[in-house]
Amino acid sequence: MATASVAFKSREDHRKQLELEEARKAGLAPAEVDEDGKEINPHIPQYMSSAPWYLKSEKPSLKHQKNWKVDSVGRKKIWYDRGAKIHQAEKYRKGACKNCGAMTHDVKACMDRPRKIGAKYTNMYIAPDEKIESFELDYDGKRDRWNGYDPSSYRHVVASYEAKDEARKKYLKEQKLKKLEEKLNKNGGDGATSDGEEEDDELRVDEAKVDESKQTDFAKVEKRVRTTGGGSTGTVRNLRIREDPAKYLLNLDLNSAHYDPKTRSMREDPLPDADPNDKFYLGDNHYRNSGQALDFKQLNVHSWEAFDKGQDMHMQAAPSQAELLYRNFKAGKDKLKSQTKQTIMEKYGDAATRDEIPMELLLGQSERQVEYDRAGRVIKGQEMVIIPKSKYEEDVHTNNHTSVWGSWWKDHQWGYKCCQQTIRNSYCTGSAGIEAAEASLDLMKANIARKEASEESPKKVEEKRMASWGTDTPEDLELNEEALANALRKEDLSRKEEKNERKRKYNVEYTNDVTPEEMEAYRMKRVHHEDPMKDFLG
């Protein structure tokens, strides 16, 4: 039977319980019955609907779900003994704090004032050892937020409220005496006044002005009168104007701007189609991107960029310095912009200060009416259509030219038509320059023809055969057979020496003189890798 976990007093009790369950399963012991007298099936798990038999309880309760054998009385009440001392030595002990001389901590965890010369060296004014406690709290003690709270620390709060009450009573008494004196002086000595209730109301309204210097968290403090919570005394600080509707009530449509109840923010405009003149709330993003919020954001960005570039600047650590540097940066940037603008205007001019552009250029049309006949001749109106000029300079002739640059083309080069020159900054020579250019061209052609006619054909130079170093052997090459045999023998010896490194000599004879026979021997002995029969050659 599945029952609740039981804390047995000993192993013997646990063993007896297991033997009893085994005997019940085997049928050797009477079956266990519940409170109604029904037999409990050991194969069916039983839960906490009924109290276990070992609790000796008449009816089910929550008592069997707790560990009632553990006595937790006083465990959650204990706490550290604040400021308790156990022993105070007269001399410095080895391993103690070098600053104060206590054995319960080291110099890093010392809470005393750092001494000019520590207790280790002066051996005087040894601080007492702290009382170190270690105890284990129960479940409730770990979660008790008031465990270890010192009620004496609340005295200053009580004293503050008592001081405020005393100041309020004193103020009301002074105001009441002042009002009575004014009434007596006004009525000429009459004692009683008829409007005492009105004076009390005025005094109650003035209670909010009492001791306003201590109200540092919010600016406005009002008296709480006829509140839903009941009571007409005390003050309340306004977080916002209560007449303003909540953000989520501005538009009850489900598809309207999203409202975050945790941060109480609505980033988008809840009423985008409404008249802007009638709206007083345009969303949180509107306030973030307008007014001083945008300037503050730019200030933060400037401080981050300046810090990344190596400047010692931090917005949170030194806000005044960051703002001053940002102002200097803006002033320098504006000055640089104005200087750049002035330089460009001096170099290229200012089109805004010139004369107005004609209407023909702006609109490409005019109000003049021209009539044509069937043949396209002008009947009435403007006889000659004037083509408007562009904004670029036209018909401006420099260096005595009568035509503009690009009016002549020859041999893939632009030039002037008046003098046929291809140099842009050249001076115009007119028709004389054209004739001189043609004459020089004719003279150059005649000189080239005369030189070609006077030149003789070059003599043929006998080519030297490079039989020794060439890749192709000429057919008429004659070799000495004896020298060729000696070269082949030397080639075989050198190849054997290369294979057997032990027979390689230290002194190697090297010469640049290679005979045709030695070259022929190298060709004959060389391995042709592209030859398919190279593996069968000896």
Side-chain angles (χ1 to χ4, degrees):
M1 182 185 68
T3 59
S5 60
V6 183
F8 295 98
K9 294 182 179 180
S10 63
R11 289 190 176 182
E12 188 67 21
D13 297 342
H14 192 194
R15 188 181 60 80
K16 290 181 180 180
Q17 179 67 21
L18 293 177
E19 290 178 357
L20 181 61
E21 291 181 359
E22 293 293 335
R24 284 173 178 169
K25 290 180 181 179
L28 302 177
E32 186 179 0
V33 295
D34 56 6
E35 294 180 354
D36 299 334
K38 296 181 180 180
E39 182 180 352
I40 297 177
N41 190 353
H43 301 287
I44 300 177
Q46 301 294 323
Y47 298 100
M48 295 302 176
S49 60
S50 59
W53 58 271
Y54 46 79
L55 286 183
K56 298 179 181 180
S57 177
E58 297 179 357
K59 58 181 180 178
S61 65
L62 294 178
K63 183 180 179 181
H64 62 280
Q65 296 184 1
K66 296 181 181 180
N67 190 3
W68 67 93
K69 294 186 178 182
V70 179
D71 186 12
S72 61
V73 177
R75 292 190 63 185
K76 67 176 183 178
K77 301 291 184 181
I78 58 177
W79 196 248
Y80 301 99
D81 193 0
R82 300 177 185 270
K85 308 296 182 181
I86 55 175
H87 175 69
Q88 185 172 6
E90 297 179 357
K91 294 183 180 181
Y92 180 78
R93 294 158 294 176
K94 185 178 180 180
C97 177
K98 297 179 181 180
N99 183 43
C100 65
M103 286 291 294
T104 52
H105 62 267
D106 54 358
V107 67
K108 291 184 179 180
C110 185
M111 300 298 294
D112 288 2
R113 176 182 60 83
R115 303 181 185 181
K116 187 175 182 180
I117 302 176
K120 179 180 179 181
Y121 306 102
T122 59
N123 208 10
M124 297 171 61
Y125 306 110
I126 305 298
D129 300 341
E130 294 91 352
K131 182 180 179 182
I132 299 178
E133 300 177 86
S134 60
F135 50 86
E136 183 181 358
L137 297 174
D138 58 352
Y139 183 87
D140 295 333
K142 292 178 181 179
R143 289 154 181 81
D144 187 5
R145 59 192 296 255
W146 296 105
N147 190 11
Y149 174 72
D150 188 8
S152 61
S153 62
Y154 193 71
R155 292 177 181 174
H156 68 281
V157 180
V158 177
S160 176
Y161 277 93
E162 289 178 354
K164 289 181 181 180
D165 292 339
E166 291 290 337
R168 183 181 294 107
K169 291 178 182 179
K170 185 178 179 181
Y171 175 79
L172 292 175
K173 187 175 181 180
E174 291 177 357
Q175 292 295 324
K176 193 170 184 179
L177 292 174
K178 189 175 181 180
K179 291 286 184 181
L180 290 174
E181 290 177 0
E182 290 179 358
K183 288 293 182 181
L184 290 173
N185 296 332
K186 184 177 180 181
N187 298 332
D190 295 340
T193 57
S194 60
D195 50 355
E197 296 180 357
E198 297 179 359
E199 294 175 1
D200 295 340
D201 294 338
E202 292 178 359
L203 293 177
R204 289 195 188 97
V205 174
D206 292 338
E207 284 182 5
K209 300 179 181 179
V210 178
D211 204 6
E212 290 183 353
S213 60
K214 296 185 179 180
Q215 305 294 342
T216 57
D217 45 0
F218 295 97
K220 190 175 182 181
V221 181
E222 293 183 354
K223 186 171 181 292
R224 184 174 59 190
V225 181
R226 298 186 184 89
T227 57
T228 56
S232 59
T233 60
T235 57
V236 62
R237 298 176 180 88
N238 287 334
L239 301 178
R240 62 178 178 85
I241 303 175
R242 299 300 174 180
E243 287 78 8
D244 293 345
K247 297 176 183 178
Y248 55 86
L249 296 178
L250 296 175
N251 190 356
L252 299 178
D253 189 5
L254 296 177
N255 297 325
S256 63
H258 173 69
Y259 175 76
D260 187 7
K262 185 175 182 180
T263 58
R264 298 180 183 177
S265 61
M266 183 179 287
R267 298 171 180 83
E268 299 179 0
D269 188 3
L271 301 171
D273 300 331
D275 188 6
N277 298 325
D278 298 338
K279 293 190 296 185
F280 63 92
Y281 180 73
L282 302 176
D284 294 341
N285 288 339
H286 174 73
Y287 296 112
R288 290 194 186 100
N289 300 325
S290 61
Q292 295 182 353
L294 189 59
D295 298 338
F296 184 72
K297 187 186 300 182
Q298 293 175 357
L299 175 60
N300 282 328
V301 172
H302 174 260
S303 64
W304 297 336
E305 293 177 351
F307 183 78
D308 291 340
K309 293 179 181 178
Q311 190 172 359
D312 189 9
M313 179 179 178
H314 199 278
M315 182 60 194
Q316 281 74 28
S320 302
Q321 179 191 7
E323 187 174 359
L324 181 60
L325 292 175
Y326 179 59
R327 288 182 181 178
N328 297 338
F329 169 75
K330 287 179 65 177
K333 187 176 181 181
D334 296 341
K335 185 177 180 181
L336 181 62
K337 280 185 178 181
S338 61
Q339 290 179 357
T340 307
K341 182 179 179 181
Q342 187 67 23
T343 305
I344 294 173
M345 289 172 60
E346 291 177 358
K347 185 175 182 180
Y348 299 102
D350 189 5
T353 58
R354 294 183 179 179
D355 298 336
E356 295 182 0
I357 301 176
M359 192 63 66
E360 291 82 2
L361 283 178
L362 292 175
L363 304 177
Q365 60 186 0
S366 63
E367 295 181 356
R368 297 180 182 179
Q369 184 178 2
V370 181
E371 296 182 5
Y372 302 91
D373 58 359
R374 291 177 179 270
R377 294 185 293 270
V378 179
I379 300 175
K380 181 181 178 182
Q382 187 177 1
E383 296 181 359
M384 182 177 180
V385 179
I386 301 175
I387 301 175
K389 295 183 178 181
S390 64
K391 64 178 181 179
Y392 302 100
E393 294 182 350
E394 296 183 7
D395 299 334
V396 177
H397 306 289
T398 58
N399 297 333
N400 203 26
H401 289 284
T402 57
S403 60
V404 295
W405 169 261
S407 58
W408 185 67
W409 167 267
K410 186 178 181 182
D411 296 337
H412 304 283
Q413 288 183 344
W414 292 101
Y416 293 98
K417 185 178 180 181
C418 55
C419 58
Q420 295 183 1
Q421 294 194 55
T422 57
I423 301 175
R424 179 68 181 270
N425 296 327
S426 63
Y427 192 80
C428 183
T429 56
S431 57
I434 297 174
E435 294 175 0
E438 292 177 354
S440 63
L441 183 62
D442 296 340
L443 181 61
M444 184 178 63
K445 290 180 179 179
N447 292 336
I448 293 172
R450 185 172 61 255
K451 186 176 180 180
E452 290 177 354
S454 62
E455 286 182 352
E456 297 179 357
S457 58
K459 296 181 180 179
K460 294 183 179 180
V461 182
E462 295 183 0
E463 296 181 357
K464 296 182 180 181
R465 294 179 300 172
M466 303 297 293
S468 300
W469 300 102
T471 57
D472 298 331
T473 305
E475 297 178 358
D476 57 347
L477 180 63
E478 296 180 359
L479 298 175
N480 190 355
E481 295 181 0
E482 186 178 355
L484 180 60
N486 294 333
L488 290 172
R489 196 178 303 107
K490 289 181 180 179
E491 188 70 21
D492 292 337
L493 290 174
S494 63
R495 290 181 181 275
K496 289 180 180 179
E497 290 179 358
E498 290 179 359
K499 291 181 180 179
N500 192 357
E501 295 183 354
R502 294 184 178 181
K503 294 183 179 181
R504 186 173 58 183
K505 299 178 180 180
Y506 289 101
N507 300 327
V508 180
E509 296 180 359
Y510 176 77
T511 177
N512 287 330
D513 299 333
V514 180
T515 60
E517 288 78 7
E518 292 177 352
M519 193 66 193
E520 183 65 21
Y522 169 73
R523 292 195 189 97
M524 293 172 68
K525 294 294 183 180
R526 182 171 61 90
V527 177
H528 297 275
H529 297 282
E530 65 275 4
D531 188 2
M533 301 296 293
K534 65 180 185 298
D535 296 333
F536 300 97
L537 298 176

